[in-house]
mmCIF file of all heavy atoms in Angstrom:
data_model
loop_
_atom_site.group_PDB
_atom_site.id
_atom_site.type_symbol
_atom_site.label_atom_id
_atom_site.label_comp_id
_atom_site.label_asym_id
_atom_site.label_seq_id
_atom_site.Cartn_x
_atom_site.Cartn_y
_atom_site.Cartn_z
ATOM 1 N N GLY A 183 85.888 86.576 95.187
ATOM 2 C CA GLY A 183 84.914 86.514 96.278
ATOM 3 C C GLY A 183 84.864 87.765 97.141
ATOM 4 O O GLY A 183 83.915 87.936 97.906
ATOM 5 N N ASP A 184 85.881 88.622 97.036
ATOM 6 C CA ASP A 184 85.878 89.846 97.843
ATOM 7 C C ASP A 184 85.058 90.926 97.152
ATOM 8 O O ASP A 184 85.198 91.151 95.956
ATOM 9 C CB ASP A 184 87.312 90.353 98.066
ATOM 10 C CG ASP A 184 88.062 89.536 99.099
ATOM 11 O OD1 ASP A 184 87.453 88.603 99.685
ATOM 12 O OD2 ASP A 184 89.248 89.832 99.331
ATOM 13 N N LEU A 185 84.217 91.596 97.925
ATOM 14 C CA LEU A 185 83.348 92.622 97.360
ATOM 15 C C LEU A 185 83.855 94.042 97.637
ATOM 16 O O LEU A 185 83.448 94.980 96.970
ATOM 17 C CB LEU A 185 81.930 92.478 97.951
ATOM 18 C CG LEU A 185 81.216 91.159 97.642
ATOM 19 C CD1 LEU A 185 79.860 91.132 98.332
ATOM 20 C CD2 LEU A 185 81.045 90.961 96.145
ATOM 21 N N SER A 186 84.712 94.168 98.636
ATOM 22 C CA SER A 186 85.231 95.496 98.998
ATOM 23 C C SER A 186 86.603 95.720 98.396
ATOM 24 O O SER A 186 87.460 94.829 98.419
ATOM 25 C CB SER A 186 85.371 95.616 100.511
ATOM 26 O OG SER A 186 84.227 96.177 101.095
ATOM 27 N N VAL A 187 86.793 96.937 97.896
ATOM 28 C CA VAL A 187 88.109 97.366 97.429
ATOM 29 C C VAL A 187 88.452 98.673 98.137
ATOM 30 O O VAL A 187 87.609 99.568 98.244
ATOM 31 C CB VAL A 187 88.121 97.569 95.899
ATOM 32 C CG1 VAL A 187 89.411 98.266 95.474
ATOM 33 C CG2 VAL A 187 87.987 96.246 95.180
ATOM 34 N N TYR A 188 89.658 98.752 98.625
ATOM 35 C CA TYR A 188 90.138 99.952 99.315
ATOM 36 C C TYR A 188 91.367 100.471 98.571
ATOM 37 O O TYR A 188 92.193 99.685 98.113
ATOM 38 C CB TYR A 188 90.577 99.610 100.746
ATOM 39 C CG TYR A 188 89.567 98.872 101.578
ATOM 40 C CD1 TYR A 188 89.378 97.503 101.407
ATOM 41 C CD2 TYR A 188 88.819 99.526 102.546
ATOM 42 C CE1 TYR A 188 88.463 96.803 102.177
ATOM 43 C CE2 TYR A 188 87.900 98.835 103.330
ATOM 44 C CZ TYR A 188 87.728 97.479 103.129
ATOM 45 O OH TYR A 188 86.826 96.786 103.896
ATOM 46 N N TRP A 189 91.493 101.776 98.515
ATOM 47 C CA TRP A 189 92.686 102.385 97.925
ATOM 48 C C TRP A 189 93.450 103.136 99.005
ATOM 49 O O TRP A 189 92.860 103.859 99.821
ATOM 50 C CB TRP A 189 92.310 103.344 96.793
ATOM 51 C CG TRP A 189 91.895 102.655 95.532
ATOM 52 C CD1 TRP A 189 90.624 102.413 95.098
ATOM 53 C CD2 TRP A 189 92.765 102.131 94.524
ATOM 54 N NE1 TRP A 189 90.641 101.763 93.890
ATOM 55 C CE2 TRP A 189 91.958 101.580 93.515
ATOM 56 C CE3 TRP A 189 94.156 102.076 94.366
ATOM 57 C CZ2 TRP A 189 92.470 100.976 92.371
ATOM 58 C CZ3 TRP A 189 94.678 101.477 93.236
ATOM 59 C CH2 TRP A 189 93.829 100.936 92.256
ATOM 60 N N TYR A 190 94.782 102.966 98.977
ATOM 61 C CA TYR A 190 95.667 103.621 99.934
ATOM 62 C C TYR A 190 96.816 104.282 99.194
ATOM 63 O O TYR A 190 97.254 103.816 98.143
ATOM 64 C CB TYR A 190 96.257 102.595 100.908
ATOM 65 C CG TYR A 190 95.262 101.954 101.837
ATOM 66 C CD1 TYR A 190 94.622 100.772 101.486
ATOM 67 C CD2 TYR A 190 94.972 102.516 103.074
ATOM 68 C CE1 TYR A 190 93.706 100.166 102.347
ATOM 69 C CE2 TYR A 190 94.069 101.925 103.935
ATOM 70 C CZ TYR A 190 93.437 100.753 103.565
ATOM 71 O OH TYR A 190 92.538 100.161 104.416
ATOM 72 N N GLN A 191 97.308 105.346 99.804
ATOM 73 C CA GLN A 191 98.506 106.014 99.302
ATOM 74 C C GLN A 191 99.588 105.872 100.374
ATOM 75 O O GLN A 191 99.327 106.087 101.556
ATOM 76 C CB GLN A 191 98.218 107.496 99.044
ATOM 77 C CG GLN A 191 99.407 108.286 98.531
ATOM 78 C CD GLN A 191 99.141 109.785 98.552
ATOM 79 O OE1 GLN A 191 98.885 110.359 99.606
ATOM 80 N NE2 GLN A 191 99.201 110.424 97.393
ATOM 81 N N GLN A 192 100.778 105.506 99.933
ATOM 82 C CA GLN A 192 101.888 105.398 100.872
ATOM 83 C C GLN A 192 103.043 106.245 100.384
ATOM 84 O O GLN A 192 103.643 105.953 99.355
ATOM 85 C CB GLN A 192 102.328 103.945 101.044
ATOM 86 C CG GLN A 192 103.391 103.769 102.145
ATOM 87 C CD GLN A 192 103.775 102.313 102.338
ATOM 88 O OE1 GLN A 192 103.996 101.580 101.391
ATOM 89 N NE2 GLN A 192 103.858 101.881 103.585
ATOM 90 N N SER A 193 103.326 107.302 101.110
ATOM 91 C CA SER A 193 104.489 108.118 100.787
ATOM 92 C C SER A 193 105.453 108.057 101.960
ATOM 93 O O SER A 193 105.080 107.664 103.056
ATOM 94 C CB SER A 193 104.083 109.565 100.485
ATOM 95 O OG SER A 193 103.324 110.074 101.562
ATOM 96 N N LEU A 194 106.704 108.465 101.700
ATOM 97 C CA LEU A 194 107.748 108.321 102.713
ATOM 98 C C LEU A 194 107.434 109.108 103.968
ATOM 99 O O LEU A 194 107.656 108.643 105.071
ATOM 100 C CB LEU A 194 109.090 108.776 102.138
ATOM 101 C CG LEU A 194 109.819 107.739 101.308
ATOM 102 C CD1 LEU A 194 111.045 108.339 100.638
ATOM 103 C CD2 LEU A 194 110.202 106.541 102.160
ATOM 104 N N ASP A 195 106.889 110.319 103.802
ATOM 105 C CA ASP A 195 106.694 111.166 104.970
ATOM 106 C C ASP A 195 105.316 111.016 105.608
ATOM 107 O O ASP A 195 105.085 111.459 106.728
ATOM 108 C CB ASP A 195 106.942 112.644 104.597
ATOM 109 C CG ASP A 195 106.040 113.096 103.451
ATOM 110 O OD1 ASP A 195 105.477 112.217 102.771
ATOM 111 O OD2 ASP A 195 105.910 114.313 103.240
ATOM 112 N N GLN A 196 104.389 110.344 104.919
ATOM 113 C CA GLN A 196 103.022 110.269 105.439
ATOM 114 C C GLN A 196 102.621 108.876 105.890
ATOM 115 O O GLN A 196 101.601 108.704 106.502
ATOM 116 C CB GLN A 196 102.021 110.717 104.355
ATOM 117 C CG GLN A 196 102.102 112.190 104.022
ATOM 118 C CD GLN A 196 101.313 113.034 105.000
ATOM 119 O OE1 GLN A 196 100.462 112.531 105.721
ATOM 120 N NE2 GLN A 196 101.606 114.309 105.056
ATOM 121 N N GLY A 197 103.386 107.867 105.539
ATOM 122 C CA GLY A 197 102.942 106.523 105.885
ATOM 123 C C GLY A 197 101.768 106.115 105.013
ATOM 124 O O GLY A 197 101.522 106.681 103.946
ATOM 125 N N LEU A 198 101.002 105.156 105.480
ATOM 126 C CA LEU A 198 99.892 104.611 104.708
ATOM 127 C C LEU A 198 98.622 105.408 105.016
ATOM 128 O O LEU A 198 98.201 105.501 106.168
ATOM 129 C CB LEU A 198 99.715 103.137 105.077
ATOM 130 C CG LEU A 198 99.075 102.192 104.077
ATOM 131 C CD1 LEU A 198 99.838 102.192 102.765
ATOM 132 C CD2 LEU A 198 99.050 100.789 104.644
ATOM 133 N N GLN A 199 98.013 105.977 103.980
ATOM 134 C CA GLN A 199 96.814 106.788 104.163
ATOM 135 C C GLN A 199 95.662 106.182 103.366
ATOM 136 O O GLN A 199 95.792 105.921 102.172
ATOM 137 C CB GLN A 199 97.062 108.210 103.635
ATOM 138 C CG GLN A 199 98.212 108.944 104.317
ATOM 139 C CD GLN A 199 97.801 109.558 105.638
ATOM 140 O OE1 GLN A 199 96.691 110.025 105.790
ATOM 141 N NE2 GLN A 199 98.696 109.522 106.603
ATOM 142 N N PHE A 200 94.532 106.023 104.036
ATOM 143 C CA PHE A 200 93.342 105.507 103.376
ATOM 144 C C PHE A 200 92.746 106.579 102.466
ATOM 145 O O PHE A 200 92.574 107.735 102.872
ATOM 146 C CB PHE A 200 92.332 105.070 104.426
ATOM 147 C CG PHE A 200 90.937 104.837 103.908
ATOM 148 C CD1 PHE A 200 90.689 103.810 103.013
ATOM 149 C CD2 PHE A 200 89.894 105.639 104.298
ATOM 150 C CE1 PHE A 200 89.413 103.591 102.526
ATOM 151 C CE2 PHE A 200 88.616 105.425 103.827
ATOM 152 C CZ PHE A 200 88.368 104.408 102.939
ATOM 153 N N LEU A 201 92.418 106.183 101.243
ATOM 154 C CA LEU A 201 91.825 107.125 100.291
ATOM 155 C C LEU A 201 90.317 106.921 100.154
ATOM 156 O O LEU A 201 89.530 107.839 100.386
ATOM 157 C CB LEU A 201 92.486 106.981 98.918
ATOM 158 C CG LEU A 201 93.967 107.337 98.842
ATOM 159 C CD1 LEU A 201 94.501 107.090 97.424
ATOM 160 C CD2 LEU A 201 94.209 108.774 99.255
ATOM 161 N N ILE A 202 89.910 105.721 99.759
ATOM 162 C CA ILE A 202 88.505 105.501 99.462
ATOM 163 C C ILE A 202 88.213 104.009 99.447
ATOM 164 O O ILE A 202 89.112 103.200 99.203
ATOM 165 C CB ILE A 202 88.135 106.150 98.115
ATOM 166 C CG1 ILE A 202 86.621 106.301 97.955
ATOM 167 C CG2 ILE A 202 88.769 105.409 96.936
ATOM 168 C CD1 ILE A 202 86.220 107.265 96.837
ATOM 169 N N GLN A 203 86.942 103.657 99.738
ATOM 170 C CA GLN A 203 86.504 102.272 99.726
ATOM 171 C C GLN A 203 85.266 102.143 98.846
ATOM 172 O O GLN A 203 84.368 102.988 98.889
ATOM 173 C CB GLN A 203 86.158 101.788 101.136
ATOM 174 C CG GLN A 203 85.597 100.365 101.186
ATOM 175 C CD GLN A 203 84.752 100.079 102.413
ATOM 176 O OE1 GLN A 203 84.484 100.959 103.215
ATOM 177 N NE2 GLN A 203 84.326 98.838 102.576
ATOM 178 N N TYR A 204 85.231 101.058 98.076
ATOM 179 C CA TYR A 204 84.040 100.682 97.336
ATOM 180 C C TYR A 204 83.595 99.297 97.782
ATOM 181 O O TYR A 204 84.422 98.427 98.068
ATOM 182 C CB TYR A 204 84.303 100.673 95.828
ATOM 183 C CG TYR A 204 84.173 102.042 95.228
ATOM 184 C CD1 TYR A 204 85.222 102.951 95.327
ATOM 185 C CD2 TYR A 204 83.002 102.455 94.606
ATOM 186 C CE1 TYR A 204 85.108 104.225 94.800
ATOM 187 C CE2 TYR A 204 82.875 103.731 94.075
ATOM 188 C CZ TYR A 204 83.932 104.605 94.188
ATOM 189 O OH TYR A 204 83.818 105.878 93.677
ATOM 190 N N TYR A 205 82.286 99.134 97.852
ATOM 191 C CA TYR A 205 81.737 97.830 98.215
ATOM 192 C C TYR A 205 80.659 97.488 97.195
ATOM 193 O O TYR A 205 79.658 98.209 97.081
ATOM 194 C CB TYR A 205 81.158 97.850 99.628
ATOM 195 C CG TYR A 205 80.491 96.553 100.022
ATOM 196 C CD1 TYR A 205 81.254 95.446 100.365
ATOM 197 C CD2 TYR A 205 79.105 96.440 100.039
ATOM 198 C CE1 TYR A 205 80.652 94.244 100.709
ATOM 199 C CE2 TYR A 205 78.499 95.249 100.391
ATOM 200 C CZ TYR A 205 79.277 94.146 100.725
ATOM 201 O OH TYR A 205 78.687 92.967 101.068
ATOM 202 N N ASN A 206 80.891 96.438 96.467
ATOM 203 C CA ASN A 206 79.922 95.928 95.494
ATOM 204 C C ASN A 206 79.440 97.029 94.535
ATOM 205 O O ASN A 206 78.252 97.122 94.239
ATOM 206 C CB ASN A 206 78.729 95.303 96.208
ATOM 207 C CG ASN A 206 78.017 94.283 95.360
ATOM 208 O OD1 ASN A 206 78.571 93.734 94.401
ATOM 209 N ND2 ASN A 206 76.769 94.016 95.674
#
Side-chain angles (χ1 to χ4, degrees):
Chain A
D184 284 357
L185 298 178
S186 267
V187 169
Y188 308 79
W189 285 99
Y190 293 91
Q191 179 191 60
Q192 186 178 45
S193 54
L194 278 173
D195 57 344
Q196 292 277 342
L198 205 57
Q199 301 279 324
F200 166 65
L201 296 178
I202 197 164
Q203 176 203 5
Y204 276 81
Y205 176 76
N206 204 21

